[in-house]
Amino acid sequence: MGLTENEAAEKLKTEGENVLAENRQAGPVKIFIGQFKDIMVMILLGATVISILLGEISDAVTIILIVLLNAILGFIQEYRTEHTLEALRSMTAPTAKCWRDDKLKEIEASKLVTGDIIELEAGDRIPADCAVLKAAGFFSDEAILTGESVAVSKSAGSPEDTDNSLNKPNIVYCGASATKGVCRAKVIATGKHTQMGKISEMLTDIDREPTPLQKRLGELGKAVAVICLIVCAAVFGAGVLRGENVFDMLMTGITIAIAAIPEGLPATVTIALALAVSRMLKQKALVNKLHSVETLGCTSVICSDKTGTITENKMTVTELSTVSADYYFSGIGYRVSGAVTKGDDNIAVNPTAEKSLTEALRCGVLCSTAEISTQEVPKSRNRGALAGRGEWQVTGDSTEAALLIAAAKAGITRESLSGSCRVLGEYPFDSETRFMAVLCSCGSDKRMYFKGAEEVLLPRCSQYISENGAPVPMSSAVRRELAEKAAEMSDRALRVLALATCSSDTLEPNRRNLVFLGFAGMTDPPREEAKTAIRKCAAASVKTVMITGDHKNTAVAVAKKAGLLKGGLAMTGAELDALSDEELDRVIGKYTVFSRVEPVHKLRIVRSFKRRGEIVTMTGDGVNDAPAVKEADVGVAMGVTGTDVTKQAADVILMDDNLATLVSAVEQGRCVYANIRKFVRYLLSCNIGEVLTMFLGILMGMPVVLLPVQILLVNLVTDGLPAVALGMEPPEKDIMNRPPRRSAEGFFSGGLMWKIVIRGVFIGLSTLASFTTVMRLGGSLEACRTAALITLVVSQLIHVFECRSERRSLFRMNPFGNMKLVIAVVISAAVLAAAVILPQLQMVFSTVDLSTPQLLTALGFSAAVPVISSIFSKK
């Protein structure tokens, strides 16, 4: 049986080892050096060198610390992403039980080759894709590949079948796990040729693109570089034309150009993102990659997995239909509370008086190997209702657990039946027979109970249980009505199980003449919070798309309940395969549901949306989701049910597997981007004001308006705490009622550059006006500079409050809406006051005490700026 060792050795040479593709990893040094390729970082490094040459050591040290902080943070994030495939490799089995030379041996899984015969049993990790040769009650959990949590029954097929496509009943897949039974299988694919290997290849081929924020900051860096060169050249040229010393003017030009660099910007962006990460963590969203926080804010399409994200991932019996009546069960998922009602009028029932209901639920309890338990004993409000806190603890098959929970709501449990019924034998569910049976001793009577597919059990039933609990012969009309009822339940995306019984002294699974008890209809219900989140996304013009491996009818039914299918269409993986990329790009906007999809389909869907210019967020939990999660602009993994592979490929991890948490994260992302625009507006306006003050002073032939040490003080007071506090601005109330920004939208869109330039010009002109006015009042040069310093700083500190909103003016906002900003401004004002008043600091910063008229002049020009700016810009 199986291969000989020599045959296996020859095949191993040609096929290679049964391992996944090696990741193209970059070394730590290369990753770290890569952090310094950003244009803004290069400008800052250049400024550092020049600062050292000019003797401004404190400036140089500050800039170096900022650059190093950003480089270390970027290195940590990128280094972590390089190890995604290592987690994927760890999911494959290290050893396998394999027949070699007619002997069953345990060998390294990496040495398996096609043609090997292996043995599998419950608890084994499947080491390669294999065709099933023989199986006895064998089930495989393929959730990591298909995303569906229900274990799949496997049965023997053709030994020559080498097609390892997903969702085949005669194929077991590498990385999946055996949950029940035993199996003998023939290896048909190893390494990169397995389904897991194909996913590994997809992950390897995906390269990370810069986030929208990184692109915008790159554009900003280039703009700053051009501005610095222009400023340097203009100052140099103007000075030389006036007859100034060439070297002195070159140094002056360089000094002013450095003043134009917003060196606090990278640090402020990093701090704003880090603070958002902290806030999101409190909301149960863990961020792996810092810049993804902002990318979330411009998400225009959310591609969500169905199971466990939109739905509860907890099968729930919602109705039980007997010949005499329909019964409905309230309570979602594994929650303890719930009740039983009867008919369309939802009449409360006493289950003990409903014989047909009681007998059907008894069958569901006895025909089950699952277990449910609670920490607190639930209370029965009446005979048909259960009240309790928390959830049932479930062990075993989710379908069987759903039947146990439904029965518990009617007061029927395994414990309550233990005195009257005892299970003597069991015939396990099999994919070929598609039913399960148990032999029970119920007092002096011995009975068999059956649970399985409607199309298998209903034809075996010759009787049905009546309302009073007595068997009644089944007519052809009743049989037809039952078949129609089962079809109607299936059309509503319910999973339908038939329940039946018969008298028997022995376990005879092939018994006919059964007594029909009822149909149990169950579903994986949508989360209530997911419905709310989907409505919130729609209000924010964010399209939510559901992607699932489920049948199309089931997916459509869930989408309708979740509020996803309003005006949208559904497409299957097979229909997706029939479309070219160009055709898919043209029509994909019409679809909100994709069913029966495989990993490659998910990747195509994400890429198609991206080609249309959408910013795509993809959620997932299984290995099958990992390529699409990594390809998306923002990949989101489930923290509870997600595999390590998906978590490492993701940018964000939802600690509660809740779509509502993701929507809250999108809101935080929008807030972060809005705040970044706010402090970019603030920093650039201030820097333009400083540069204009110095540049116009030189052009006008005035003395140097501000000394280098005073410019350093301005940057220290205005670029630090106020900018950081501005990054803590809470989200505006209507932020989720606006459409997401377009991916191609520039950083200065919406007239932001106009606001920055106008405000910067006013700050510069008011500072020069303060300088010249004090000079005309007879003030000394030191007094003029002190007045200019006060005007420049105070006008910037006023401007920081204007930057809190792009939609409302300073006079229409609550000044105490951001207390952190108020405190930051007070501290900055206190530092300025100390530099002007304290004699020791006056010597350092070349300031002097001002007279009352001089001080009022400086403050007056500061206060005039926001008034004039508001009128000019029509805010």
Side-chain angles (χ1 to χ4, degrees):
M1 184 184 295
L3 304 175
T4 65
E5 289 289 358
N6 290 336
E7 289 172 334
E10 287 300 316
K11 282 197 168 189
L12 192 64
K13 289 179 183 177
T14 56
E15 295 177 2
E17 290 195 339
N18 178 34
V19 294
L20 302 183
E22 290 295 322
N23 194 10
R24 301 194 301 265
Q25 288 191 15
V29 175
K30 186 177 179 181
I31 295 173
F32 187 72
I33 292 173
Q35 306 305 313
F36 297 93
K37 294 180 180 178
D38 181 79
I39 184 71
M40 182 64 81
V41 172
M42 290 181 180
I43 292 171
L44 290 176
L45 290 175
T48 304
V49 174
I50 295 170
S51 297
I52 292 171
L53 293 175
L54 294 176
E56 302 292 342
I57 304 301
S58 58
D59 268 6
V61 171
T62 302
I63 296 171
I64 287 173
L65 288 175
I66 290 170
V67 170
L68 283 176
L69 173 65
N70 280 280
I72 291 168
L73 286 172
F75 168 78
I76 291 170
Q77 294 154 18
E78 192 171 333
Y79 186 74
R80 286 174 63 186
T81 65
E82 287 292 323
H83 298 279
T84 300
L85 291 186
E86 288 184 9
L88 191 60
R89 284 190 209 101
S90 69
M91 299 187 72
T92 56
T95 61
K97 294 186 284 289
C98 176
W99 289 94
R100 292 274 177 88
D101 294 325
D102 292 326
K103 293 179 181 178
L104 187 62
K105 303 176 179 179
E106 188 165 298
I107 66 170
E108 292 180 36
S110 61
K111 305 301 181 186
L112 283 176
V113 294
T114 57
D116 268 329
I117 306 295
I118 63 171
E119 301 285 347
L120 297 167
E121 60 184 18
D124 285 347
R125 178 80 70 180
I126 297 167
D129 288 2
C130 309
V132 177
L133 302 177
K134 186 169 67 173
F138 188 77
F139 282 75
S140 170
D141 180 357
E142 298 173 358
I144 62 170
L145 291 171
T146 63
E148 300 307 314
S149 57
V150 177
V152 181
S153 176
K154 297 294 180 180
S155 57
S158 169
E160 307 307 317
D161 187 357
T162 58
D163 178 12
N164 66 332
S165 302
L166 283 173
N167 301 309
K168 293 185 67 174
N170 66 314
I171 304 295
V172 291
Y173 301 95
C174 176
S177 57
T179 58
K180 283 185 185 179
V182 293
C183 168
R184 177 174 294 166
K186 180 181 179 181
V187 177
I188 59 172
T190 61
K192 64 182 181 181
H193 302 293
T194 64
Q195 286 294 331
M196 182 79 83
K198 292 174 183 176
I199 293 172
S200 167
E201 290 279 296
M202 283 188 264
L203 280 169
T204 307
D205 292 339
I206 295 170
D207 293 321
R208 271 287 176 189
E209 296 180 0
T211 67
L213 178 61
Q214 288 170 321
K215 292 176 183 176
R216 300 293 88 83
L217 290 178
E219 293 169 6
L220 178 61
K222 292 174 184 176
V224 168
V226 172
I227 291 170
C228 290
L229 290 174
I230 292 173
V231 167
C232 185
V235 171
F236 174 76
V240 170
L241 289 175
R242 281 179 51 196
E244 300 286 348
N245 180 276
V246 173
F247 180 77
D248 289 345
M249 290 316 302
L250 178 61
M251 290 297 100
T252 303
I254 292 173
T255 302
I256 296 175
I258 291 175
I261 298 172
E263 64 270 9
L265 181 59
T268 311
V269 169
T270 301
I271 291 168
L273 293 174
L275 290 170
V277 167
S278 177
R279 290 195 298 270
M280 289 167 65
L281 185 58
K282 292 176 183 176
Q283 297 174 348
K284 298 190 180 298
L286 174 65
V287 177
N288 274 345
K289 301 175 181 69
L290 208 57
H291 278 271
S292 61
V293 175
E294 178 276 332
T295 312
L296 269 171
C298 52
T299 294
S300 57
V301 175
I302 295 176
C303 295
S304 175
D305 186 32
K306 175 185 77 70
T307 307
T309 308
I310 292 177
T311 65
E312 293 269 352
N313 193 21
K314 295 166 183 174
M315 294 300 290
T316 306
V317 173
T318 57
E319 61 186 87
L320 195 151
S321 180
T322 67
V323 173
S324 56
D326 292 330
Y327 300 91
Y328 299 94
F329 297 79
S330 65
I332 297 174
Y334 294 163
R335 293 168 200 171
V336 171
S337 59
V340 188
T341 56
K342 182 179 181 180
D344 294 335
D345 296 329
N346 288 325
I347 302 168
V349 298
N350 178 357
T352 58
E354 306 288 333
K355 301 297 182 183
S356 59
L357 170 66
T358 303
E359 191 62 18
L361 291 175
R362 184 200 304 264
C363 174
V365 172
L366 295 171
C367 222
S368 170
T369 57
E371 297 283 348
I372 61 171
S373 61
T374 56
Q375 292 182 342
E376 297 180 14
V377 177
K379 297 176 182 178
S380 179
R381 291 189 299 241
N382 55 57
R383 292 182 184 274
L386 205 62
R389 291 181 299 178
E391 295 191 340
W392 294 97
Q393 302 301 310
V394 171
T395 305
D397 182 77
S398 60
T399 300
E400 294 182 350
L403 288 168
L404 294 179
I405 292 170
K409 292 171 185 175
I412 300 171
T413 64
R414 188 167 281 135
E415 291 74 21
S416 68
L417 295 177
S418 60
S420 58
C421 287
R422 183 165 52 91
V423 177
L424 302 176
E426 175 190 330
Y427 177 78
F429 182 90
D430 185 271
S431 59
E432 293 181 359
T433 60
R434 299 176 66 198
F435 69 85
M436 174 187 182
V438 292
L439 175 64
C440 298
S441 173
C442 301
S444 60
D445 188 20
K446 288 187 178 179
R447 306 192 63 80
M448 283 187 65
Y449 287 97
F450 293 78
K451 174 195 72 181
E454 167 268 330
E455 58 269 32
V456 174
L457 292 184
L458 186 58
R460 293 189 182 193
C461 295
S462 59
Q463 297 175 292
Y464 65 87
I465 194 131
S466 66
E467 194 170 359
N468 61 11
V472 176
M474 184 180 292
S475 65
S476 57
V478 170
R479 189 184 302 277
R480 187 166 56 252
E481 287 176 8
L482 288 172
E484 289 173 356
K485 179 65 177 178
E488 184 264 333
M489 292 171 74
S490 294
D491 288 342
R492 287 188 282 119
L494 293 177
R495 184 178 182 188
V496 181
L497 284 179
L499 304 169
T501 185
C502 69
S503 295
S504 178
D505 290 331
T506 57
L507 186 63
E508 299 177 49
N510 295 321
R511 284 289 299 269
R512 307 192 74 81
N513 299 320
L514 306 181
V515 180
F516 175 79
L517 299 177
F519 291 134
M522 58 188 72
T523 185
D524 182 8
R527 290 172 176 252
E528 288 301 318
E529 54 268 37
K531 295 179 185 178
T532 304
I534 289 167
R535 287 195 297 271
K536 199 170 183 179
C537 283
S541 301
V542 176
K543 181 184 178 75
T544 308
V545 172
M546 187 175 80
I547 303 177
T548 177
D550 263 348
H551 189 276
K552 187 175 183 178
N553 290 350
T554 304
V556 167
V558 170
K560 285 180 180 176
K561 290 178 183 176
L564 261 178
L565 208 62
K566 296 177 181 178
L569 302 174
M571 179 187 290
T572 64
E575 292 167 342
L576 187 66
D577 285 332
L579 299 175
S580 67
D581 285 347
E582 292 76 17
E583 291 170 331
L584 180 61
D585 293 349
R586 281 198 300 271
V587 302
I588 197 169
K590 301 176 183 177
Y591 291 86
T592 54
V593 175
F594 295 89
S595 61
R596 285 294 189 222
V597 294
E598 297 181 6
V600 67
H601 295 141
K602 296 182 182 185
L603 203 55
R604 280 194 71 195
I605 291 166
V606 170
R607 285 173 173 168
S608 179
F609 276 122
K610 288 178 71 176
R611 285 194 296 270
R612 286 168 57 96
E614 308 284 2
I615 300 296
V616 184
T617 292
M618 172 75 193
T619 75
D621 53 5
V623 173
N624 62 317
D625 299 314
V629 165
K630 188 175 181 182
E631 173 67 31
D633 296 292
V634 182
V636 179
M638 301 297 111
V640 179
T641 59
T643 59
D644 288 343
V645 179
T646 313
K647 289 176 185 176
Q648 291 195 33
D651 305 295
V652 178
I653 299 172
L654 302 184
M655 307 304 290
D656 57 359
D657 291 13
N658 194 336
L659 187 65
T661 302
L662 176 58
V663 176
S664 297
V666 170
E667 183 174 10
Q668 285 295 333
R670 289 190 175 190
C671 177
V672 163
Y673 185 72
N675 288 351
I676 289 173
R677 276 175 61 100
K678 289 170 187 176
F679 60 66
V680 165
R681 173 188 176 187
Y682 171 66
L683 289 173
L684 291 186
S685 296
C686 295
N687 282 25
I688 287 173
E690 293 167 27
V691 169
L692 205 60
T693 298
M694 302 295 290
F695 181 52
L696 290 179
I698 291 173
L699 286 182
M700 294 165 65
M702 298 166 60
V704 175
V705 178
L706 291 173
L707 300 174
V709 70
Q710 291 173 333
I711 292 177
L712 177 62
L713 176 64
V714 172
N715 289 337
L716 176 68
V717 171
T718 61
D719 288 3
L721 285 177
V724 172
L726 198 56
M728 299 180 187
E729 188 73 22
E732 296 183 54
K733 291 181 179 178
D734 63 342
I735 198 167
M736 286 301 284
N737 293 328
R738 308 172 197 164
R741 71 180 190 277
R742 298 183 304 276
S743 58
E745 184 178 291
F747 193 85
F748 300 105
S749 63
L752 183 63
M753 180 55 81
W754 174 250
K755 293 175 184 177
I756 290 171
V757 171
I758 291 296
R759 198 62 173 84
V761 168
F762 277 129
I763 290 173
L765 292 178
S766 63
T767 304
L768 287 172
S770 177
F771 184 93
T772 55
T773 302
V774 171
M775 182 176 285
R776 288 179 179 178
L777 291 174
S780 64
L781 181 57
E782 288 77 12
C784 294
R785 284 172 176 162
T786 303
L789 175 66
I790 292 172
T791 301
L792 185 59
V793 171
V794 174
S795 58
Q796 290 184 10
L797 293 180
I798 294 173
H799 179 50
V800 77
F801 287 99
E802 292 180 290
C803 294
R804 288 181 56 211
S805 176
E806 293 184 41
R807 296 166 178 260
R808 291 177 294 163
S809 71
L810 174 65
F811 305 106
R812 292 175 55 203
M813 287 185 286
N814 176 9
F816 303 105
N818 182 352
M819 285 306 299
K820 295 182 179 68
L821 181 60
V822 173
I823 294 170
V825 168
V826 169
I827 293 172
S828 295
V831 172
L832 173 65
V836 172
I837 296 171
L838 297 179
Q840 297 88 339
L841 294 180
Q842 284 180 340
M843 294 176 62
V844 174
F845 294 106
S846 299
T847 57
V848 295
D849 291 326
L850 297 182
S851 66
T852 301
Q854 291 171 340
L855 182 60
L856 289 176
T857 298
L859 294 176
F861 278 112
S862 301
V865 172
V867 177
I868 298 171
S869 177
S870 297
I871 295 171
F872 191 87
S873 58
K874 298 179 182 180
K875 291 178 69 176

